[in-house]
Amino acid sequence: LIWAPSGRRLVSGLLALNLVLLGAALLTAEVFNPEGLKHQEPRLFILVLMALSLAWMLWYLLWARRQPGISPHRDHHAGGICVTVVLMVFSACSLLLHVFKMGYYIIMAECKPAAKVLLPFFEAPFLGLQTYLLWGHSRDCIHKHKILTRSGLVLTLTTDLLLWLSAVTEDTVHLEIELEKEERAVFPHASLPGSFDDSNIGMGNVSQCHCGAHAGCRIFRKGYEVLYPFNIEYYLMAACLLYIMWKNVGRHMEPHSHPEHAQKVTLRVVYHGGVLFGPLVGAVVLLVGIAIFIMYQVWVSSAHGRFTAFVLFYSYHLAVIPVMSFCSLAGVIIHKIEARAQDMGHNPTRSLDVILLLGTALGQLSICYFSVVAAWGMGPSGILGGLDLSYSLLSLLELILQNIFIIEGLHRHPDITQRQSRRKIREFNSFFKKGIKPKDTTKEVTDPPVPLVEKSEVRTATVAPVEKEPHSRNHWSRRVLQEICAFLILANIMLWVIPAFGAHPQFENGLGKQFFGFSAWFVIVNLGQPLGVFYRMHSVGALLEVLVTA
Amino acid sequence: LIWAPSGRRLVSGLLALNLVLLGAALLTAEVFNPEGLKHQEPRLFILVLMALSLAWMLWYLLWARRQPGISPHRDHHAGGICVTVVLMVFSACSLLLHVFKMGYYIIMAECKPAAKVLLPFFEAPFLGLQTYLLWGHSRDCIHKHKILTRSGLVLTLTTDLLLWLSAVTEDTVHLEIELEKEERAVFPHASLPGSFDDSNIGMGNVSQCHCGAHAGCRIFRKGYEVLYPFNIEYYLMAACLLYIMWKNVGRHMEPHSHPEHAQKVTLRVVYHGGVLFGPLVGAVVLLVGIAIFIMYQVWVSSAHGRFTAFVLFYSYHLAVIPVMSFCSLAGVIIHKIEARAQDMGHNPTRSLDVILLLGTALGQLSICYFSVVAAWGMGPSGILGGLDLSYSLLSLLELILQNIFIIEGLHRHPDITQRQSRRKIREFNSFFKKGIKPKDTTKEVTDPPVPLVEKSEVRTATVAPVEKEPHSRNHWSRRVLQEICAFLILANIMLWVIPAFGAHPQFENGLGKQFFGFSAWFVIVNLGQPLGVFYRMHSVGALLEVLVTA
């Protein structure tokens, strides 16, 4: 899975690299010198890329895919049912966002540049067509017109990345809202205990178009404000799927088991293993979380309920996250006690999993560290400040412990003993001590043959006791691990749903906003939050695997 | 070579991740809100890390390495002689820099915070001890006290990264110099044709300590200014070597051939193959380059010679870079004509080489794109602006073509035919057509057995003509490729020496500075230039390999 470019992939890779760098330079130029580029070059560049991508997608969907033998294989690991459904939801929200954006820009047309007003009209069809392509063809391993296909994929990918980057750095609408909020803040009911609305940093260059009393304009702008995180998520997710499609061009797949299989296995494990407490507690967390989320969404938009909404949000997280940390810690300790053989062989899928886990965790880790630094810099500041600080610190702990638990779980050797009779266990253990790998038992392992590496302690100390009473001990530790995994899966789903569907108190309630300035904090949160959502999604998948192999 | 964390490496990796994120948050806080952190927290954090790293290094050097069996293997690919010598040069320059820094800060002590004044006094011993460690032990594969060793390595690595980040974002000295330059700019002789000294952007928060007429202070500051790029390079390079050491902890090496072997082979190839024109033209480029470099350094510091120095610099590059692009293009075309079998097997060393080539190329590519955008935004602006723009565009072309040439070269199958008799060639080719790999010929390949993947064209079209006259054609294309590689190696060495030893006209001559603002441009150039130097160093290594296997 390492990116070893051959002739053709090299060319499309270099194309992508150069387009992304040029686009990033243009967008950066706009941030640092908004007056410097007189002809809206960043937007024109994105429009050209979008037109080219649209042309390629139409070519592929209308003409190329009808040809025989263009996609003889399908990669069943790409674009699972869960990912596709989430992508559809995000795409629907993004399309709605673009409708609001069109309305807002048409009302504001006289004081916005033409390229900006035109952009949503091109972006909506691009988004729709791309969603259709990813829905139907994200598993294709295309084998014809490889150069054209790779270039087209790379063009679409580049457009997604630049639209994402532009969404992350484009904060004018939010600056306008902040300004109006300040204007409102002279009314007495708007001054809440512990609210930080009075920050004045980073409000430099806002255009002077206000909605004023225009009701339609305000509705459109509110819709824009609520929906834009979905758009950011959508572009990141679509870029990931396109990247996998690009890697799959020209790939030959071996016939594999379907990934849906794993989910069925999970259900069977949970059902037959008598795993009860984990799913039960997880379901409670899920239900309470949904109730809290709905209350948060109802109250946060009103000036009166804002404070209560924040307190509710933080209280919920401060209750759930310590339990999750404790469960992860218990799991790590059980791993240590069990001291099972570790599977350290080369396994590219697992390496990618681990890299993705650590890479996406970076998002929330950095938001937490930035919050902690901001809290340190600002000193003690009210209830919300204290809640935010404890939330950040506990999140850090939880992320670290959960990562250790998941990664150690992924590296444990799948439990062969459970699928075999006692006789075979003893046979395996005796081979194990001699360091010889018996041919017949390795057939039970689902993965391709991997070397069995033992930890030195295993060999010296714990093999004998395991051999003495393998069943009772295994059963005990298996059960606890499965309960922990089941609970963590449901809790992670909840922690994924809350920020994915628009609750961002760390952005709205702002020690960080006050300390780093509006623009910097906007960029930090908008880079970190989508990665955090990705992390939760990915950790659910990894925990499923740990649960099955526990 | 994928980072598949096991128990222990996971812990030290997470430690590094968290320390880097916390440090980055602190340094970012200082950039966006210089008044926010009242107690110099970023510097205190770095000081603590430095003290811990120093303690670990002393422990390792004085006690641990004396133990028997702590480092039974040595990784002969790590820390080659060339890398070590360059590291020594950079470290000597960095130590000198710290002497200047100490002098400057002592004179300025009353208006600088205490932590800042203290920092160089701790940094110098840290730097010296680290250089000694890397000089003597960068090839160690440590097998005892693994947790402590990994943690210590990771601490030192984190300190290096944070010192690098702090050097990249720390621009106060340069802002002071810029301010004084402006004050001088009222004198008539300072206003040069096409000079952009009068930029006033980003000069916000400079402390009001000026050197004034204090001669010692000015000398110290000048030394600081000239030497700081070496310091940035040093930290990056040390971090790379420490990363390799960290990866090598607990690794078992197979007995390998020494990499010095490759250099001897190169010399033999060049000598016996009659390669003449490439080295000759390359030597001319090298000699002229050294002359230009010396003239540049002499003239650029004087106000009179500044313009001439820039024109000289750009003229030299505008002469050399098109020739390099043309050679790379010719090499790519020869690769296409020859259509040799491609070696597409899994080869982790080569994958790392390719990733490093593309990753380090990002540095210069982004500087070029940012310069192009700045030139586009500023419109036509004098001779130097035009020279800078053409230099950027040509560099882009050269980087892309050279990358294609090198990466395709690395993926060609090593020429087996040259080491065997005509009989064996025919035997090989007949096996080749049937797609069967003969056991006896693969023994000649130096790498571990890799699958021979053929391009479809090879099989259908070109095998027959190659078999007809393999020697003459091979000889012709081999010779040209070797000439090209030899020339590119020498040219890349020159393009590596010039920026590594302190010629940064893109920083001093500033369309970009004027367009993006001083601070943003400072960060862009200081992130990009060291990567560019790395790219040239690495491409020389890769070209050597292409030359040997041509």
Side-chain angles (χ1 to χ4, degrees), chain A residues 2-8 10 14 17-18 21-22 24-26 28-29 32-33 36-38 41 342 344 346 351 354-355 358 362 365-366 369-370 373 376-377 396 400 403-404 407-408 411 457 514-516 520, chain B residues 2-8 10 14 17-18 21-22 24-26 28-29 32-33 36-38 41 342 344 346 351 354-355 358 362 365-366 369-370 373 376-377 396 400 403-404 407-408 411 457 514-516 520:
Chain A
I2 281 189
W3 187 60
S6 64
R8 273 71 187 273
L10 174 63
L14 279 175
L17 206 66
N18 283 287
L21 282 179
L22 180 53
L26 284 169
T28 314
F32 283 104
N33 190 355
L37 297 169
K38 280 135 203 129
E41 281 88 349
Q342 278 194 312
M344 304 291 277
H346 183 69
S351 301
V354 170
I355 289 169
L358 290 175
L362 279 183
L365 282 176
S366 22
Y369 276 116
F370 277 95
V373 167
W376 176 269
L396 282 177
I400 293 169
N403 268 340
I404 294 178
I407 292 171
E408 286 202 336
H411 279 87
E457 307 98 81
Q514 209 177 346
F515 186 77
F516 288 101
Chain B
I2 281 188
W3 187 60
S6 63
R8 275 70 186 275
L10 175 63
L14 279 174
L17 205 66
N18 284 287
L21 282 178
L22 180 54
L26 284 168
T28 314
F32 283 105
N33 190 355
L37 298 169
K38 279 136 203 125
E41 281 88 350
Q342 278 193 312
M344 304 289 277
H346 183 70
S351 300
V354 169
I355 289 170
L358 290 175
L362 278 183
L365 281 176
S366 25
Y369 276 117
F370 278 94
V373 168
W376 174 270
L396 282 177
I400 293 168
N403 267 341
I404 295 178
I407 292 172
E408 286 202 336
H411 278 87
E457 308 97 80
Q514 208 176 349
F515 186 77
F516 288 100

Side-chain angles (χ1 to χ4, degrees), chain A residues 4-270:
Chain A
S6 64
R8 273 71 187 273
R9 204 189 273 170
L10 174 63
V11 170
S12 55
L14 279 175
L15 178 69
L17 206 66
N18 283 287
L19 288 177
V20 167
L21 282 179
L22 180 53
L26 284 169
L27 287 168
T28 314
E30 210 184 27
V31 170
F32 283 104
N33 190 355
E35 310 301 313
L37 297 169
K38 280 135 203 129
H39 312 287
Q40 292 286 320
E41 281 88 349
R43 252 156 294 279
L44 285 177
F45 183 66
I46 291 178
L47 275 177
V48 169
L49 283 182
M50 233 187 252
L52 290 174
S53 314
L54 268 175
W56 175 79
M57 284 193 278
L58 285 173
W59 170 82
Y60 182 70
L61 289 173
L62 295 181
W63 187 74
R65 80 186 170 98
R66 303 253 167 97
Q67 290 192 302
I70 191 167
S71 165
H73 307 277
R74 289 172 80 76
D75 176 4
H76 290 287
H77 289 279
I81 184 80
C82 175
V83 172
T84 315
V85 168
V86 173
L87 188 80
M88 290 302 126
V89 173
F90 286 169
S91 118
C93 294
S94 299
L95 282 175
L96 200 62
L97 163 76
H98 283 99
V99 172
F100 286 125
K101 224 170 166 179
M102 288 173 196
Y104 179 62
Y105 279 150
I106 287 173
I107 292 171
M108 289 288 178
E110 70 269 21
C111 62
K112 299 268 181 193
K116 214 167 187 173
V117 177
L118 277 178
L119 200 63
F121 290 91
F122 285 86
E123 215 172 325
F126 169 76
L127 215 140
L129 200 63
Q130 192 184 359
T131 310
Y132 176 71
L133 177 82
L134 291 175
W135 178 57
H137 301 279
S138 64
R139 292 175 170 188
D140 290 8
C141 300
I142 304 162
H143 276 251
K144 278 188 180 170
H145 309 291
K146 289 186 198 170
I147 299 178
L148 195 57
T149 306
R150 286 208 180 100
S151 309
L153 283 171
V154 138
L155 265 177
T156 320
L157 177 60
T158 310
T159 316
D160 279 337
L161 284 180
L162 290 179
L163 282 169
W164 169 69
L165 201 62
S166 128
V168 167
T169 52
E170 158 79 42
D171 54 357
T172 47
V173 165
H174 300 89
L175 275 177
E176 287 165 21
I177 293 167
E178 287 286 313
L179 276 184
E180 294 201 13
K181 229 185 249 165
E182 272 182 49
E183 283 164 21
R184 258 196 334 214
V186 290
F187 295 109
H189 68 263
S191 69
L192 305 161
S195 85
F196 304 105
D197 275 344
D198 49 354
S199 69
N200 216 341
I201 310 153
M203 299 282 180
N205 45 5
V206 182
S207 61
Q208 290 305 310
C209 310
H210 281 320
C211 262
H214 195 305
C217 171
R218 273 173 177 275
I219 290 169
F220 284 141
R221 206 184 56 184
K222 184 72 195 171
Y224 186 176
E225 188 199 357
V226 169
L227 289 171
Y228 87 94
F230 294 101
N231 200 25
I232 292 179
E233 295 280 347
Y234 174 81
Y235 286 128
L236 261 187
M237 210 155 164
C240 286
L241 289 175
L242 285 169
Y243 176 74
I244 292 169
M245 276 182 84
W246 177 71
K247 295 272 292 185
N248 276 341
V249 171
R251 190 169 161 200
H252 293 272
M253 297 300 296
E254 294 142 37
H256 256 302
S257 66
H258 287 229
E260 278 81 21
H261 181 64
Q263 285 156 26
K264 278 183 204 145
V265 169
T266 315
L267 286 178
R268 215 183 313 142
V269 163
V270 171

Side-chain angles (χ1 to χ4, degrees), chain B residues 176-190:
Chain B
E176 286 165 21
I177 293 167
E178 287 285 313
L179 275 184
E180 292 201 14
K181 229 185 247 167
E182 271 181 52
E183 282 165 22
R184 260 196 330 214
V186 291
F187 295 109
H189 67 264

